[in-house]
Amino acid sequence: MSSGTDYEDRFRRVYASNFHPLLAYALRRAEQPEDAADVVAETFLVAWRRGHGMPADAEVRLWLYGVARRVLANHHRTGLRRERLGERLRQRIRGAVTADPGSEVPERLAVQAALARLSELDREVLTLTVWEGLEPREVAGVLGVSPAVVRTRLSRARARLRDLVGDDLAPPGHVLGVVTAPAPKEGR
């Protein structure tokens, strides 16, 4: 039991005498103070895990600098990977973002106002079906209702929207016509 206590006592001494020099080392090399704190914490975690392999007290600081150097290198690599991933995601999002169909029509304010007058569930059923391209069974899964409820709500929402915006606002194939068209029969 005393070996565990000796191990903990040694670690405490190593930590107390090396924390500030390691923090200063990390602060000079990390972009953010929070990153430096993470590097020091990770360095001492490695020291704790490898405590029995730590060199003698005269060499321990140099060993800790070496550990901190590797932790910093990993931190920088992780940061670069995160930046590259972020850039790839931003490019994909830019490529995947399509214009809101309601914004492509001159009557978009009328459509938005009409949509706002629908109940929240009817509006969600309609937009998930039309703008997101989901089938009624898929919409049912998203909303946690039965497909029959979705089909009924969709039919009513389209009819109500047609009443609110008028039947003759859109030529065939126009977004308004698609939004207000009767629901197609879903394949079983």
Side-chain angles (χ1 to χ4, degrees):
M1 192 162 221
S2 68
S3 68
T5 303
D6 292 342
Y7 178 78
E8 290 176 19
D9 288 343
R10 178 165 189 246
F11 182 81
R12 284 189 182 101
R13 283 193 315 275
V14 167
Y15 180 87
S17 62
N18 291 287
F19 175 80
H20 289 291
L22 280 174
L23 181 60
Y25 173 85
L27 282 168
R28 287 188 289 274
R29 287 160 177 79
E31 288 185 31
Q32 300 294 325
E34 297 84 9
D35 295 339
D38 288 346
V39 166
V40 172
E42 181 72 22
T43 299
F44 280 110
L45 179 62
V46 169
W48 175 259
R49 288 180 179 158
R50 297 186 187 165
H52 295 293
M54 271 195 294
D57 288 346
E59 301 289 321
V60 76
R61 183 171 294 168
L62 298 177
W63 182 79
L64 288 170
Y65 280 140
V67 171
R69 183 174 173 272
R70 287 185 292 282
V71 169
L72 273 163
N74 288 340
H75 176 77
H76 289 306
R77 276 193 301 275
T78 300
L80 288 173
R81 282 193 299 265
R82 190 178 309 123
E83 286 175 26
R84 286 187 212 126
L85 176 61
E87 183 55 34
R88 283 195 311 266
L89 288 173
R90 282 187 290 280
Q91 288 174 356
R92 278 192 166 172
I93 289 171
R94 279 192 293 264
V97 171
T98 58
D100 176 4
S103 68
E104 297 173 3
V105 297
E107 301 86 359
R108 86 169 194 260
L109 293 176
V111 171
Q112 288 174 346
L115 282 171
R117 293 180 62 192
L118 297 176
S119 73
E120 184 178 340
L121 183 59
D122 287 352
R123 184 173 48 252
E124 194 65 11
V125 165
L126 187 63
T127 57
L128 284 171
T129 301
V130 176
W131 289 337
E132 306 309 325
L134 300 181
E135 296 291 327
R137 65 180 162 67
E138 295 169 320
V139 174
V142 170
L143 300 177
V145 298
S146 74
V149 168
V150 170
R151 285 189 290 277
T152 301
R153 290 283 189 156
L154 182 59
S155 178
R156 288 181 187 162
R158 283 183 161 149
R160 179 131 163 78
L161 194 63
R162 251 191 322 275
D163 291 343
L164 291 169
V165 296
D167 285 333
D168 54 320
L169 277 181
H174 194 271
V175 164
L176 274 176
V178 172
V179 171
T180 60
K185 300 290 185 211
E186 180 179 9
R188 301 212 194 289

